[in-house]
Amino acid sequence: MKTTFIIAASIALTGTAVIAQETPQPQETREERVARSAVTEIWEPVPETVQTPEGAPPSDAVVLFDGSNLDAWEAKEGGAAEWLVEDGVMSVARGKGDIRTKDNFCDVQLHVEWRSPANDQGHDGQDRGNSGVFLQERYEVQVLDGSDNPTYVNGQPASIYKQHPPLVNASRAPMEWQSYDIIFQAPIFAEDGELRRPAYVTVMHNGVVVQNHAQIQGATEWIGYPAYQAHDCAPISLQDHDSDVSYRNIWVRPM
């Protein structure tokens, strides 16, 4: 009897539910739906239109190197940048030191194309095609020949040097052009120099995401652990690590 009662009750409840669903509801007009939709629409400010021609920098980019000259660059210690420019390519001039942009940058989208030299001298590890892209002259995205070249993983190509290994190794062979597309969110410091927000970086190596909003732990260090020191916007620099690394098509979009 108890089971029969439960089944009967379930049927009764189900029947009630069906009856309730079939009860006619007031129909909303199209005008009323449009009005409700408009509550969550944002119309201003209108984003600026940016032209994106194929094979060229966006129209709002700052071109740092287009193959013609080093006018946007200077030596790390000041004075003219002395790297080599030939056939639209900028190459490290060994012993001339790092170069940096004349302008300072904070949050940026940065595009860099680079090429490691042929390994005709038998170098391995960190001695093969080593250079680096330094954001704000402090935070390095490693440049290195990563083709069949074992090394410590937080020092391989596209690593945040000595901090974050890349998610994958997307390296091409030596003498092949490669690209980095970097989204950099600069650190923020309080007036007293205390860190309020660390830096973050996303890196695409040859179109593959290899750093996904990675938190930078501080300035790049070869020996010792990274730490932050307060600073303002600062230049982008390229490293002379005594290797014949070349660069081309460098542009940046301040954000």
Side-chain angles (χ1 to χ4, degrees):
M1 293 294 293
K2 185 177 181 180
T3 302
T4 303
F5 175 78
I6 292 174
I7 294 173
S10 299
I11 293 172
L13 288 173
T14 303
T16 302
V18 170
I19 292 172
Q21 289 176 356
E22 292 177 349
T23 301
Q25 299 293 318
Q27 292 297 313
E28 187 178 38
T29 68
R30 184 179 185 282
E31 290 73 15
E32 289 171 332
R33 293 183 63 201
V34 169
R36 286 200 302 116
S37 172
V39 172
T40 52
E41 294 174 359
I42 299 173
W43 286 73
E44 293 180 338
V46 177
E48 177 185 353
T49 297
V50 174
Q51 304 301 320
T52 56
E54 185 174 356
S59 59
D60 64 345
V62 176
V63 177
L64 299 176
F65 181 68
D66 64 1
S68 58
N69 58 63
L70 296 176
D71 289 353
W73 301 84
E74 64 183 8
K76 183 177 180 179
E77 305 302 327
E82 297 186 66
W83 284 18
L84 309 174
V85 177
E86 186 177 4
D87 297 329
V89 174
M90 168 173 62
S91 300
V92 173
R94 295 190 190 188
K96 296 297 184 179
D98 299 356
I99 63 172
R100 66 183 184 186
T101 59
K102 294 178 181 178
D103 292 335
N104 296 327
F105 299 96
C106 281
D107 295 357
V108 295
Q109 174 188 351
L110 175 65
H111 176 85
V112 178
E113 297 176 20
W114 60 274
R115 181 181 66 191
S116 58
N119 185 30
D120 54 9
Q121 299 179 15
H123 293 314
D124 290 308
Q126 296 292 303
D127 292 327
R128 261 173 63 180
N130 196 324
S131 183
V133 178
F134 281 78
L135 302 156
Q136 297 191 317
E137 294 192 282
R138 292 166 174 82
Y139 314 111
E140 181 185 10
V141 179
Q142 172 76 313
V143 169
L144 190 75
D145 179 359
S147 178
D148 192 23
N149 182 30
T151 188
Y152 46 92
V153 295
N154 60 349
Q156 74 179 69
S159 63
I160 310 306
Y161 185 74
K162 286 289 186 83
Q163 297 186 30
H164 295 287
L167 298 173
V168 295
N169 183 354
S171 296
R172 294 173 180 159
M175 297 301 293
E176 291 188 29
W177 283 103
Q178 313 197 48
S179 66
Y180 284 163
D181 287 284
I182 299 170
I183 308 298
F184 176 68
Q185 190 174 25
I188 296 176
F189 300 91
E191 290 185 4
D192 62 1
E194 182 180 355
L195 180 67
R196 291 178 52 195
R197 187 196 70 191
Y200 292 90
V201 66
T202 295
V203 180
M204 286 180 286
H205 183 191
N206 296 327
V208 176
V209 175
V210 292
Q211 301 288 348
N212 184 16
H213 198 60
Q215 179 177 317
I216 294 178
Q217 300 159 7
T220 295
E221 298 289 352
W222 178 43
I223 298 173
Y225 295 94
Y228 279 102
Q229 291 187 346
H231 62 84
D232 294 323
C233 298
I236 297 164
S237 61
L238 302 176
Q239 184 184 39
D240 171 7
H241 200 283
D242 198 34
S243 183
D244 299 325
V245 176
S246 299
Y247 293 90
R248 70 180 185 185
N249 298 336
I250 306 176
W251 53 261
V252 64
R253 293 182 64 247
M255 296 189 300

